[in-house]
Structure formats: structure tokens, C-alpha cells
Amino acid sequence: QQQVKQSPQSLIVQKGGIPIINCAYENTAFDYFPWYQQFPGKGPALLIAIRPDVSEKKEGRFTISFNKSAKQFSLHIMDSQPGDSATYFCAAGRRRALTFGSGTRLQVQP
Amino acid sequence: SQTIHQWPATLVQPVGSPLSLECTVEGTSNPNLYWYRQAAGRGLQLLFYSVGIGQISSEVPQNLSASRPQDRQFILSSKKLLLSDSGFYLCASSGGPGDTQYFGPGTRLTVL
């Protein structure tokens, strides 16, 4: 019941495209859903996060869409750039405990 | 905001040798602290977490151990390293009223 399933495992898009990464969770007690961005050899950095009381949150070119009934949430990257090439992790949790997805390796081609 | 320091940044150790990785946190008090391991191209595996000094919970049974001697210091140790202990070790901190975990820069451990 703690699992968070993330897809796809890898993704290649052209510059300007809109990559979409999806996550699904099982535990209905989860109330915090962050996304992290990780560059090779670095620690993950918080990108954007959402609570289940809203269905969408935007920060710059990054948008989280949240579907509470389906227990799914997704990350959209608008106008993607080569600098967005990284591994993205979703997570779900409650009270400071997070369960992470397996990660999506995104490559944005020039 | 929180800043997490980890050292060393990289480490190459022979099989059977001991290990000590250190993590310190600035900018918060009484944080929850976490140790994760990340194998190459893989996700994050939670190893240990701590809600306070001397309080350690282990998520995965193995030859690693953790200690929290001070509020903002978290140490990962091993008496005898195995080849399978190689990986990227990340310390994370969660403090304040929110649930966000902030990660340190990581330690790349290679066991030969």
C-alpha cells in the first residue's frame, strides 16, 4: 500500500515539446506529492509539490496535475529545453515520510 | 532554508573495510533525517530515518548502521563493507511545519 508507480522509465522529446510523467499511488492517507529533479552526480532537488486540495499547480514551466479519485498525479514541462534533461522522481507521503517513484530519465534534444 | 552537507563527496574502499559517512544540517532544528541509497540509474532506497537524537529506524536489514549523536548530525557506518554496498548515498532532512525533504549533494561510494 506504500508503493508509488512512475512511468515512463525514460522519455525523449524535442526542444519545445511537452514531456509528461505520470505517477500513481495506493495509500489514500498520502497528502503531499512532490516532484524532484536530479542531475547526474547531484542530489535530488525539489521542483514543485502539491496537496490534494487542488487539482493543478503551476510554477514557471512546470505543472502538476492531480486526480484524487484516480490516485494519480503527473508532471508536465512546458516548452522543454535541453537543460531540463535530468531524472525526475515523483513522491507521495505524509508527516515527513515520503515514498518515491522509480524515476524517469528525460532527454530533451536540441 | 535548510542546507545539507555531506562528506566525503567520493570514496573508494576495499571490501571488508569500515565506513563512516557524515551528514550535517544547517538552517533548521529538530529535523527528521534520512539516509537513502541510489544504485546507478535506479530509484531511491530508504535505509534509515531518525526523528530525534539517538532515535534510529531501519528500513532495510543489512550490514549498515546509522547514528545521530547530535540534533543536526547523522552518520552512516559499516564495520565491514561488501561489494553490494557500492552506490550513491544521499542524506535528506525534513524540518519545520512542512513535509518537504531536502537532499544533500551525496557521497559516491565504490567498494572494490
Side-chain angles (χ1 to χ4, degrees), chain B residues 12-30:
Chain B
V12 180
Q13 292 284 93
V15 169
S17 63
L19 173 73
S20 181
L21 303 182
E22 189 164 345
C23 169
T24 58
V25 180
E26 294 178 358
T28 188
S29 58
N30 195 30

Side-chain angles (χ1 to χ4, degrees), chain A residues 9 31-32 36 38 40-46 49 51 87 89 93-98 100-103 105, chain B residues 30-32 34 36 38 41-44 46 88 90 94-106 108:
Chain A
Q9 192 173 15
D31 62 3
Y32 180 66
Y36 287 83
Q38 185 181 29
K42 305 294 184 183
L46 180 67
R51 298 261 182 204
T87 299
F89 291 96
R94 185 169 183 262
R95 294 184 180 175
R96 300 183 176 181
L98 293 177
F100 286 85
S102 55
R105 190 169 181 176
Chain B
N30 195 30
N32 282 12
Y34 310 83
Y36 291 88
Q38 186 175 31
R42 304 289 292 276
L44 299 164
L46 179 63
F88 192 48
L90 290 156
S94 180
D99 295 310
T100 301
Q101 289 186 22
Y102 297 94
F103 285 84
R108 172 76 58 193

Side-chain angles (χ1 to χ4, degrees), chain B:
Chain B
S1 63
Q2 300 178 44
T3 302
I4 297 104
H5 301 279
Q6 287 187 245
W7 64 88
T10 60
L11 190 60
V12 180
Q13 292 284 93
V15 169
S17 63
L19 173 73
S20 181
L21 303 182
E22 189 164 345
C23 169
T24 58
V25 180
E26 294 178 358
T28 188
S29 58
N30 195 30
N32 282 12
L33 297 175
Y34 310 83
W35 278 113
Y36 291 88
R37 178 169 58 202
Q38 186 175 31
R42 304 289 292 276
L44 299 164
Q45 179 187 33
L46 179 63
L47 302 175
F48 301 95
Y49 70 93
S50 171
V51 299
I53 295 173
Q55 301 177 65
I56 309 294
S57 296
S58 174
E59 291 294 304
V60 182
Q62 56 208 319
N63 70 319
L64 299 172
S65 62
S67 62
R68 185 170 177 176
Q70 300 181 45
D71 181 46
R72 289 171 289 175
Q73 183 185 29
F74 205 23
I75 297 172
L76 183 69
S77 304
S78 174
K79 292 182 179 178
K80 286 185 178 181
L81 283 169
L82 306 173
L83 286 173
S84 57
D85 292 324
S86 294
F88 192 48
Y89 288 83
L90 290 156
C91 177
S93 170
S94 180
D99 295 310
T100 301
Q101 289 186 22
Y102 297 94
F103 285 84
T107 294
R108 172 76 58 193
L109 171 66
T110 303
V111 182
L112 301 175

Side-chain angles (χ1 to χ4, degrees), chain A residues 46-63:
Chain A
L46 180 67
L47 195 60
I48 185 173
I50 198 169
R51 298 261 182 204
D53 53 341
V54 296
S55 60
E56 186 176 279
K57 183 174 181 180
K58 271 186 190 177
E59 286 186 5
R61 295 184 293 108
F62 300 93
T63 299

